[in-house]
Amino acid sequence: NNHAAAWGGGMANYVQNGGTCQSVYTNCTFTNNIGPWGGGAIWNTGYSNGTADITAINCLFIHNGGGGNGGAINNDGRLNAQSNATIINCTFYDNDAQQGGAIYNDAASNGTSNATVKNSIFWSNVGGGNSFYNANTSTTTVSYTLLNEATTGVGTTAGLNMIYNTNPLFVNEAI
């Protein structure tokens, strides 16, 4: 339940000038975070020869967003830098952004940006490209994952055992 002034409503992982920053999140819940310029829950950026890496394991990303890109995660590598996001056993539900309702990748100005998603659920995320949006030469590889979309989108490689347009049958605990 955080609101950032610009990027990364829940947290920011940012590095520049050849540095390295690695963050690992296990069993976390990111809910109702707002990053007005992008990365409602997490903003991960490598800038000017830096390397920014995040890993999320068994995390929930619910109702995150903002006016920018990446309702849950904005993964951005620019100016000869790189950013990497590894997502394992996570659920992304009802995140919202202009592009990439759940995850937005951007590799600008000779940067690289890659996301790898395994064994996760993406449901009811809204944004250009639906759950995933890859700008410039960035890539996302997804496997063993359930999506409520018919495809993974441009720049996203669908690996093994994908499930499309199937309701994950969430249970309302309030009942």
Side-chain angles (χ1 to χ4, degrees), residues 19-76:
T20 300
C21 187
Q22 298 176 324
S23 296
V24 178
Y25 308 98
T26 304
N27 301 321
C28 296
T29 300
F30 295 89
T31 304
N32 297 322
N33 296 292
I34 299 172
W37 295 354
I42 298 173
W43 177 53
N44 185 52
T45 296
Y47 184 80
S48 186
N49 299 306
T51 301
D53 295 327
I54 60 165
T55 300
I57 303 168
N58 299 324
C59 294
L60 299 174
F61 295 85
I62 302 169
H63 306 294
N64 299 290
N69 299 321
I73 298 173
N74 184 313
N75 191 42
D76 188 4

Side-chain angles (χ1 to χ4, degrees), residues 75 83-85 103-107 111-117 132-142 153-157:
N75 191 42
S83 64
N84 302 293
I103 299 174
Y104 174 84
N105 283 316
D106 192 359
T112 60
S113 178
N114 303 296
T116 302
V117 178
F132 307 107
Y133 189 92
N134 295 291
N136 299 305
T137 58
S138 61
T139 62
T140 300
T141 302
V142 183
V154 176
T156 302
T157 302

